[in-house]
PDB file of all heavy atoms in Angstrom:
ATOM      1  N   GLU V 170     -11.423  33.213  16.688  1.00  0.00           N
ATOM      2  CA  GLU V 170     -11.883  34.601  16.863  1.00  0.00           C
ATOM      3  C   GLU V 170     -13.384  34.628  16.993  1.00  0.00           C
ATOM      4  O   GLU V 170     -14.095  33.921  16.274  1.00  0.00           O
ATOM      5  CB  GLU V 170     -11.509  35.420  15.625  1.00  0.00           C
ATOM      6  CG  GLU V 170     -10.098  35.935  15.648  1.00  0.00           C
ATOM      7  CD  GLU V 170      -9.883  36.905  14.497  1.00  0.00           C
ATOM      8  OE1 GLU V 170     -10.699  37.847  14.348  1.00  0.00           O
ATOM      9  OE2 GLU V 170      -8.937  36.696  13.734  1.00  0.00           O
ATOM     10  N   LEU V 171     -13.883  35.466  17.914  1.00  0.00           N
ATOM     11  CA  LEU V 171     -15.337  35.644  18.061  1.00  0.00           C
ATOM     12  C   LEU V 171     -15.610  37.135  17.896  1.00  0.00           C
ATOM     13  O   LEU V 171     -15.174  37.943  18.701  1.00  0.00           O
ATOM     14  CB  LEU V 171     -15.783  35.186  19.454  1.00  0.00           C
ATOM     15  CG  LEU V 171     -15.574  33.698  19.760  1.00  0.00           C
ATOM     16  CD1 LEU V 171     -15.755  33.427  21.249  1.00  0.00           C
ATOM     17  CD2 LEU V 171     -16.564  32.864  18.953  1.00  0.00           C
ATOM     18  N   ASN V 172     -16.279  37.490  16.825  1.00  0.00           N
ATOM     19  CA  ASN V 172     -16.521  38.913  16.559  1.00  0.00           C
ATOM     20  C   ASN V 172     -18.003  39.237  16.713  1.00  0.00           C
ATOM     21  O   ASN V 172     -18.846  38.640  16.041  1.00  0.00           O
ATOM     22  CB  ASN V 172     -16.068  39.266  15.132  1.00  0.00           C
ATOM     23  CG  ASN V 172     -14.580  38.959  14.940  1.00  0.00           C
ATOM     24  OD1 ASN V 172     -13.799  39.073  15.887  1.00  0.00           O
ATOM     25  ND2 ASN V 172     -14.205  38.548  13.752  1.00  0.00           N
ATOM     26  N   GLU V 173     -18.266  40.206  17.577  1.00  0.00           N
ATOM     27  CA  GLU V 173     -19.659  40.576  17.805  1.00  0.00           C
ATOM     28  C   GLU V 173     -20.155  41.348  16.592  1.00  0.00           C
ATOM     29  O   GLU V 173     -19.552  42.324  16.172  1.00  0.00           O
ATOM     30  CB  GLU V 173     -19.768  41.438  19.065  1.00  0.00           C
ATOM     31  CG  GLU V 173     -21.174  41.506  19.572  1.00  0.00           C
ATOM     32  CD  GLU V 173     -21.248  41.979  21.022  1.00  0.00           C
ATOM     33  OE1 GLU V 173     -20.242  42.503  21.539  1.00  0.00           O
ATOM     34  OE2 GLU V 173     -22.319  41.825  21.610  1.00  0.00           O
ATOM     35  N   ALA V 174     -21.278  40.881  16.009  1.00  0.00           N
ATOM     36  CA  ALA V 174     -21.749  41.514  14.774  1.00  0.00           C
ATOM     37  C   ALA V 174     -23.140  42.101  14.948  1.00  0.00           C
ATOM     38  O   ALA V 174     -23.782  42.493  13.978  1.00  0.00           O
ATOM     39  CB  ALA V 174     -21.756  40.493  13.639  1.00  0.00           C
ATOM     40  N   GLY V 175     -23.642  42.139  16.143  1.00  0.00           N
ATOM     41  CA  GLY V 175     -24.995  42.649  16.410  1.00  0.00           C
ATOM     42  C   GLY V 175     -25.449  42.098  17.732  1.00  0.00           C
ATOM     43  O   GLY V 175     -24.679  41.400  18.413  1.00  0.00           O
ATOM     44  N   LYS V 176     -26.716  42.368  18.058  1.00  0.00           N
ATOM     45  CA  LYS V 176     -27.190  41.899  19.353  1.00  0.00           C
ATOM     46  C   LYS V 176     -27.260  40.364  19.354  1.00  0.00           C
ATOM     47  O   LYS V 176     -28.017  39.772  18.594  1.00  0.00           O
ATOM     48  CB  LYS V 176     -28.586  42.488  19.628  1.00  0.00           C
ATOM     49  CG  LYS V 176     -29.026  42.296  21.054  1.00  0.00           C
ATOM     50  CD  LYS V 176     -30.233  43.180  21.343  1.00  0.00           C
ATOM     51  CE  LYS V 176     -30.858  42.979  22.703  1.00  0.00           C
ATOM     52  NZ  LYS V 176     -30.619  41.808  23.417  1.00  0.00           N
ATOM     53  N   ASN V 177     -26.405  39.816  20.157  1.00  0.00           N
ATOM     54  CA  ASN V 177     -26.363  38.357  20.294  1.00  0.00           C
ATOM     55  C   ASN V 177     -26.021  37.616  18.991  1.00  0.00           C
ATOM     56  O   ASN V 177     -26.366  36.456  18.807  1.00  0.00           O
ATOM     57  CB  ASN V 177     -27.719  37.855  20.843  1.00  0.00           C
ATOM     58  CG  ASN V 177     -27.529  36.581  21.655  1.00  0.00           C
ATOM     59  OD1 ASN V 177     -26.423  36.324  22.126  1.00  0.00           O
ATOM     60  ND2 ASN V 177     -28.571  35.791  21.775  1.00  0.00           N
ATOM     61  N   ILE V 178     -25.359  38.348  18.073  1.00  0.00           N
ATOM     62  CA  ILE V 178     -24.926  37.695  16.815  1.00  0.00           C
ATOM     63  C   ILE V 178     -23.393  37.685  16.808  1.00  0.00           C
ATOM     64  O   ILE V 178     -22.760  38.738  17.002  1.00  0.00           O
ATOM     65  CB  ILE V 178     -25.425  38.475  15.582  1.00  0.00           C
ATOM     66  CG1 ILE V 178     -26.957  38.531  15.612  1.00  0.00           C
ATOM     67  CG2 ILE V 178     -24.943  37.826  14.282  1.00  0.00           C
ATOM     68  CD1 ILE V 178     -27.539  39.455  14.559  1.00  0.00           C
ATOM     69  N   TRP V 179     -22.837  36.564  16.570  1.00  0.00           N
ATOM     70  CA  TRP V 179     -21.376  36.451  16.585  1.00  0.00           C
ATOM     71  C   TRP V 179     -20.880  35.821  15.290  1.00  0.00           C
ATOM     72  O   TRP V 179     -21.437  34.840  14.814  1.00  0.00           O
ATOM     73  CB  TRP V 179     -20.929  35.599  17.786  1.00  0.00           C
ATOM     74  CG  TRP V 179     -21.229  36.273  19.100  1.00  0.00           C
ATOM     75  CD1 TRP V 179     -22.423  36.270  19.759  1.00  0.00           C
ATOM     76  CD2 TRP V 179     -20.341  37.080  19.855  1.00  0.00           C
ATOM     77  NE1 TRP V 179     -22.348  37.024  20.906  1.00  0.00           N
ATOM     78  CE2 TRP V 179     -21.068  37.523  20.989  1.00  0.00           C
ATOM     79  CE3 TRP V 179     -19.009  37.480  19.708  1.00  0.00           C
ATOM     80  CZ2 TRP V 179     -20.501  38.353  21.969  1.00  0.00           C
ATOM     81  CZ3 TRP V 179     -18.449  38.286  20.697  1.00  0.00           C
ATOM     82  CH2 TRP V 179     -19.188  38.722  21.800  1.00  0.00           C
ATOM     83  N   HIS V 180     -19.836  36.433  14.761  1.00  0.00           N
ATOM     84  CA  HIS V 180     -19.195  35.865  13.569  1.00  0.00           C
ATOM     85  C   HIS V 180     -17.933  35.116  13.974  1.00  0.00           C
ATOM     86  O   HIS V 180     -17.147  35.604  14.781  1.00  0.00           O
ATOM     87  CB  HIS V 180     -18.820  36.977  12.581  1.00  0.00           C
ATOM     88  CG  HIS V 180     -20.010  37.467  11.813  1.00  0.00           C
ATOM     89  ND1 HIS V 180     -19.922  38.421  10.842  1.00  0.00           N
ATOM     90  CD2 HIS V 180     -21.322  37.107  11.878  1.00  0.00           C
ATOM     91  CE1 HIS V 180     -21.128  38.641  10.338  1.00  0.00           C
ATOM     92  NE2 HIS V 180     -21.991  37.867  10.964  1.00  0.00           N
ATOM     93  N   ILE V 181     -17.764  33.948  13.383  1.00  0.00           N
ATOM     94  CA  ILE V 181     -16.546  33.169  13.640  1.00  0.00           C
ATOM     95  C   ILE V 181     -15.830  33.000  12.308  1.00  0.00           C
ATOM     96  O   ILE V 181     -16.266  32.225  11.443  1.00  0.00           O
ATOM     97  CB  ILE V 181     -16.891  31.795  14.251  1.00  0.00           C
ATOM     98  CG1 ILE V 181     -17.525  32.035  15.621  1.00  0.00           C
ATOM     99  CG2 ILE V 181     -15.651  30.930  14.421  1.00  0.00           C
ATOM    100  CD1 ILE V 181     -18.872  31.493  15.769  1.00  0.00           C
ATOM    101  N   PRO V 182     -14.758  33.765  12.092  1.00  0.00           N
ATOM    102  CA  PRO V 182     -14.077  33.680  10.797  1.00  0.00           C
ATOM    103  C   PRO V 182     -13.155  32.463  10.725  1.00  0.00           C
ATOM    104  O   PRO V 182     -12.586  32.035  11.725  1.00  0.00           O
ATOM    105  CB  PRO V 182     -13.256  34.971  10.751  1.00  0.00           C
ATOM    106  CG  PRO V 182     -13.023  35.337  12.172  1.00  0.00           C
ATOM    107  CD  PRO V 182     -14.147  34.758  12.990  1.00  0.00           C
ATOM    108  N   ALA V 183     -13.049  31.931   9.519  1.00  0.00           N
ATOM    109  CA  ALA V 183     -12.137  30.801   9.279  1.00  0.00           C
ATOM    110  C   ALA V 183     -11.301  31.127   8.046  1.00  0.00           C
ATOM    111  O   ALA V 183     -11.742  31.862   7.170  1.00  0.00           O
ATOM    112  CB  ALA V 183     -12.947  29.529   9.034  1.00  0.00           C
ATOM    113  N   PRO V 184     -10.083  30.595   7.992  1.00  0.00           N
ATOM    114  CA  PRO V 184      -9.196  30.961   6.872  1.00  0.00           C
ATOM    115  C   PRO V 184      -9.638  30.383   5.527  1.00  0.00           C
ATOM    116  O   PRO V 184      -9.282  30.917   4.492  1.00  0.00           O
ATOM    117  CB  PRO V 184      -7.836  30.385   7.290  1.00  0.00           C
ATOM    118  CG  PRO V 184      -8.129  29.388   8.356  1.00  0.00           C
ATOM    119  CD  PRO V 184      -9.426  29.755   8.994  1.00  0.00           C
ATOM    120  N   ASN V 185     -10.373  29.313   5.524  1.00  0.00           N
ATOM    121  CA  ASN V 185     -10.823  28.743   4.248  1.00  0.00           C
ATOM    122  C   ASN V 185     -12.062  27.868   4.489  1.00  0.00           C
ATOM    123  O   ASN V 185     -12.408  27.578   5.633  1.00  0.00           O
ATOM    124  CB  ASN V 185      -9.689  27.945   3.572  1.00  0.00           C
ATOM    125  CG  ASN V 185      -9.209  26.797   4.440  1.00  0.00           C
ATOM    126  OD1 ASN V 185     -10.014  26.088   5.030  1.00  0.00           O
ATOM    127  ND2 ASN V 185      -7.895  26.638   4.541  1.00  0.00           N
ATOM    128  N   PRO V 186     -12.737  27.465   3.423  1.00  0.00           N
ATOM    129  CA  PRO V 186     -13.990  26.719   3.604  1.00  0.00           C
ATOM    130  C   PRO V 186     -13.792  25.400   4.359  1.00  0.00           C
ATOM    131  O   PRO V 186     -14.645  24.973   5.116  1.00  0.00           O
ATOM    132  CB  PRO V 186     -14.452  26.439   2.168  1.00  0.00           C
ATOM    133  CG  PRO V 186     -13.755  27.440   1.332  1.00  0.00           C
ATOM    134  CD  PRO V 186     -12.467  27.767   2.005  1.00  0.00           C
ATOM    135  N   PHE V 187     -12.632  24.791   4.141  1.00  0.00           N
ATOM    136  CA  PHE V 187     -12.356  23.524   4.805  1.00  0.00           C
ATOM    137  C   PHE V 187     -12.386  23.702   6.329  1.00  0.00           C
ATOM    138  O   PHE V 187     -13.059  22.977   7.058  1.00  0.00           O
ATOM    139  CB  PHE V 187     -10.996  23.019   4.323  1.00  0.00           C
ATOM    140  CG  PHE V 187     -10.533  21.785   5.023  1.00  0.00           C
ATOM    141  CD1 PHE V 187     -11.064  20.551   4.697  1.00  0.00           C
ATOM    142  CD2 PHE V 187      -9.565  21.849   6.005  1.00  0.00           C
ATOM    143  CE1 PHE V 187     -10.647  19.405   5.348  1.00  0.00           C
ATOM    144  CE2 PHE V 187      -9.137  20.710   6.653  1.00  0.00           C
ATOM    145  CZ  PHE V 187      -9.672  19.482   6.329  1.00  0.00           C
ATOM    146  N   TYR V 188     -11.657  24.727   6.796  1.00  0.00           N
ATOM    147  CA  TYR V 188     -11.632  24.981   8.243  1.00  0.00           C
ATOM    148  C   TYR V 188     -12.985  25.476   8.750  1.00  0.00           C
ATOM    149  O   TYR V 188     -13.399  25.158   9.851  1.00  0.00           O
ATOM    150  CB  TYR V 188     -10.525  25.974   8.605  1.00  0.00           C
ATOM    151  CG  TYR V 188      -9.197  25.293   8.735  1.00  0.00           C
ATOM    152  CD1 TYR V 188      -8.285  25.340   7.687  1.00  0.00           C
ATOM    153  CD2 TYR V 188      -8.867  24.573   9.871  1.00  0.00           C
ATOM    154  CE1 TYR V 188      -7.072  24.683   7.779  1.00  0.00           C
ATOM    155  CE2 TYR V 188      -7.649  23.911   9.968  1.00  0.00           C
ATOM    156  CZ  TYR V 188      -6.748  23.972   8.918  1.00  0.00           C
ATOM    157  OH  TYR V 188      -5.559  23.314   9.017  1.00  0.00           O
ATOM    158  N   ARG V 189     -13.666  26.246   7.909  1.00  0.00           N
ATOM    159  CA  ARG V 189     -14.981  26.732   8.336  1.00  0.00           C
ATOM    160  C   ARG V 189     -15.904  25.548   8.640  1.00  0.00           C
ATOM    161  O   ARG V 189     -16.535  25.486   9.696  1.00  0.00           O
ATOM    162  CB  ARG V 189     -15.609  27.607   7.239  1.00  0.00           C
ATOM    163  CG  ARG V 189     -17.001  28.116   7.625  1.00  0.00           C
ATOM    164  CD  ARG V 189     -17.790  28.528   6.418  1.00  0.00           C
ATOM    165  NE  ARG V 189     -17.863  27.420   5.451  1.00  0.00           N
ATOM    166  CZ  ARG V 189     -18.003  27.584   4.156  1.00  0.00           C
ATOM    167  NH1 ARG V 189     -18.084  28.787   3.633  1.00  0.00           N
ATOM    168  NH2 ARG V 189     -18.054  26.527   3.342  1.00  0.00           N
ATOM    169  N   ASP V 190     -15.911  24.583   7.715  1.00  0.00           N
ATOM    170  CA  ASP V 190     -16.776  23.417   7.928  1.00  0.00           C
ATOM    171  C   ASP V 190     -16.388  22.661   9.189  1.00  0.00           C
ATOM    172  O   ASP V 190     -17.223  22.191   9.939  1.00  0.00           O
ATOM    173  CB  ASP V 190     -16.714  22.473   6.723  1.00  0.00           C
ATOM    174  CG  ASP V 190     -17.310  23.142   5.484  1.00  0.00           C
ATOM    175  OD1 ASP V 190     -17.933  24.207   5.641  1.00  0.00           O
ATOM    176  OD2 ASP V 190     -17.130  22.608   4.376  1.00  0.00           O
ATOM    177  N   TRP V 191     -15.062  22.575   9.359  1.00  0.00           N
ATOM    178  CA  TRP V 191     -14.600  21.860  10.540  1.00  0.00           C
ATOM    179  C   TRP V 191     -14.980  22.580  11.825  1.00  0.00           C
ATOM    180  O   TRP V 191     -15.470  21.970  12.770  1.00  0.00           O
ATOM    181  CB  TRP V 191     -13.080  21.653  10.486  1.00  0.00           C
ATOM    182  CG  TRP V 191     -12.810  20.328   9.903  1.00  0.00           C
ATOM    183  CD1 TRP V 191     -12.407  20.051   8.641  1.00  0.00           C
ATOM    184  CD2 TRP V 191     -13.020  19.081  10.549  1.00  0.00           C
ATOM    185  NE1 TRP V 191     -12.346  18.714   8.454  1.00  0.00           N
ATOM    186  CE2 TRP V 191     -12.710  18.082   9.607  1.00  0.00           C
ATOM    187  CE3 TRP V 191     -13.441  18.700  11.825  1.00  0.00           C
ATOM    188  CZ2 TRP V 191     -12.801  16.735   9.902  1.00  0.00           C
ATOM    189  CZ3 TRP V 191     -13.531  17.353  12.120  1.00  0.00           C
ATOM    190  CH2 TRP V 191     -13.215  16.394  11.169  1.00  0.00           C
ATOM    191  N   LEU V 192     -14.738  23.877  11.829  1.00  0.00           N
ATOM    192  CA  LEU V 192     -15.068  24.666  13.030  1.00  0.00           C
ATOM    193  C   LEU V 192     -16.537  24.506  13.359  1.00  0.00           C
ATOM    194  O   LEU V 192     -16.925  24.278  14.500  1.00  0.00           O
ATOM    195  CB  LEU V 192     -14.764  26.147  12.790  1.00  0.00           C
ATOM    196  CG  LEU V 192     -13.299  26.554  12.823  1.00  0.00           C
ATOM    197  CD1 LEU V 192     -13.176  28.036  12.480  1.00  0.00           C
ATOM    198  CD2 LEU V 192     -12.707  26.272  14.185  1.00  0.00           C
ATOM    199  N   GLU V 193     -17.329  24.591  12.308  1.00  0.00           N
ATOM    200  CA  GLU V 193     -18.767  24.538  12.549  1.00  0.00           C
ATOM    201  C   GLU V 193     -19.153  23.174  13.118  1.00  0.00           C
ATOM    202  O   GLU V 193     -19.903  23.076  14.088  1.00  0.00           O
ATOM    203  CB  GLU V 193     -19.527  24.836  11.253  1.00  0.00           C
ATOM    204  CG  GLU V 193     -21.027  24.687  11.428  1.00  0.00           C
ATOM    205  CD  GLU V 193     -21.818  25.718  10.616  1.00  0.00           C
ATOM    206  OE1 GLU V 193     -21.386  26.061   9.489  1.00  0.00           O
ATOM    207  OE2 GLU V 193     -22.855  26.169  11.112  1.00  0.00           O
ATOM    208  N   ARG V 194     -18.605  22.155  12.500  1.00  0.00           N
ATOM    209  CA  ARG V 194     -18.977  20.820  12.959  1.00  0.00           C
ATOM    210  C   ARG V 194     -18.506  20.571  14.386  1.00  0.00           C
ATOM    211  O   ARG V 194     -19.214  20.025  15.210  1.00  0.00           O
ATOM    212  CB  ARG V 194     -18.352  19.780  12.017  1.00  0.00           C
ATOM    213  CG  ARG V 194     -19.049  18.451  12.115  1.00  0.00           C
ATOM    214  CD  ARG V 194     -18.625  17.508  11.009  1.00  0.00           C
ATOM    215  NE  ARG V 194     -18.381  18.170   9.754  1.00  0.00           N
ATOM    216  CZ  ARG V 194     -17.560  17.699   8.810  1.00  0.00           C
ATOM    217  NH1 ARG V 194     -16.913  16.581   8.991  1.00  0.00           N
ATOM    218  NH2 ARG V 194     -17.390  18.335   7.679  1.00  0.00           N
ATOM    219  N   GLU V 195     -17.284  20.994  14.690  1.00  0.00           N
ATOM    220  CA  GLU V 195     -16.718  20.691  15.997  1.00  0.00           C
ATOM    221  C   GLU V 195     -17.220  21.639  17.083  1.00  0.00           C
ATOM    222  O   GLU V 195     -17.336  21.261  18.236  1.00  0.00           O
ATOM    223  CB  GLU V 195     -15.176  20.775  15.946  1.00  0.00           C
ATOM    224  CG  GLU V 195     -14.512  19.728  15.072  1.00  0.00           C
ATOM    225  CD  GLU V 195     -14.513  18.344  15.718  1.00  0.00           C
ATOM    226  OE1 GLU V 195     -14.487  18.248  16.957  1.00  0.00           O
ATOM    227  OE2 GLU V 195     -14.574  17.352  14.958  1.00  0.00           O
ATOM    228  N   LEU V 196     -17.468  22.884  16.700  1.00  0.00           N
ATOM    229  CA  LEU V 196     -17.650  23.892  17.751  1.00  0.00           C
ATOM    230  C   LEU V 196     -19.037  24.506  17.865  1.00  0.00           C
ATOM    231  O   LEU V 196     -19.324  25.193  18.853  1.00  0.00           O
ATOM    232  CB  LEU V 196     -16.620  25.030  17.569  1.00  0.00           C
ATOM    233  CG  LEU V 196     -15.159  24.608  17.714  1.00  0.00           C
ATOM    234  CD1 LEU V 196     -14.261  25.828  17.603  1.00  0.00           C
ATOM    235  CD2 LEU V 196     -14.903  23.908  19.041  1.00  0.00           C
ATOM    236  N   ARG V 197     -19.901  24.307  16.886  1.00  0.00           N
ATOM    237  CA  ARG V 197     -21.192  25.002  16.977  1.00  0.00           C
ATOM    238  C   ARG V 197     -21.896  24.687  18.299  1.00  0.00           C
ATOM    239  O   ARG V 197     -22.234  25.588  19.072  1.00  0.00           O
ATOM    240  CB  ARG V 197     -22.105  24.673  15.793  1.00  0.00           C
ATOM    241  CG  ARG V 197     -23.501  25.285  15.955  1.00  0.00           C
ATOM    242  CD  ARG V 197     -24.369  25.094  14.737  1.00  0.00           C
ATOM    243  NE  ARG V 197     -24.065  26.007  13.653  1.00  0.00           N
ATOM    244  CZ  ARG V 197     -24.395  27.303  13.625  1.00  0.00           C
ATOM    245  NH1 ARG V 197     -25.026  27.840  14.650  1.00  0.00           N
ATOM    246  NH2 ARG V 197     -24.091  28.049  12.599  1.00  0.00           N
ATOM    247  N   ARG V 198     -22.068  23.430  18.553  1.00  0.00           N
ATOM    248  CA  ARG V 198     -22.807  23.032  19.748  1.00  0.00           C
ATOM    249  C   ARG V 198     -22.119  23.527  21.037  1.00  0.00           C
ATOM    250  O   ARG V 198     -22.759  24.214  21.848  1.00  0.00           O
ATOM    251  CB  ARG V 198     -22.988  21.506  19.735  1.00  0.00           C
ATOM    252  CG  ARG V 198     -23.603  20.893  20.958  1.00  0.00           C
ATOM    253  CD  ARG V 198     -25.086  21.255  21.113  1.00  0.00           C
ATOM    254  NE  ARG V 198     -25.916  20.650  20.093  1.00  0.00           N
ATOM    255  CZ  ARG V 198     -26.277  19.357  20.073  1.00  0.00           C
ATOM    256  NH1 ARG V 198     -25.869  18.538  21.012  1.00  0.00           N
ATOM    257  NH2 ARG V 198     -27.043  18.893  19.128  1.00  0.00           N
TER     258      ARG V 198
END
Side-chain angles (χ1 to χ4, degrees):
E170 277 189 51
L171 297 167
N172 301 328
E173 197 162 14
K176 192 166 174 340
N177 209 22
I178 300 171
W179 294 82
H180 282 182
I181 295 121
N185 60 43
F187 175 77
Y188 277 100
R189 179 200 55 207
D190 294 349
W191 266 102
L192 284 176
E193 176 144 36
R194 200 169 324 154
E195 294 285 330
L196 297 184
R197 174 174 282 285
R198 174 69 68 76

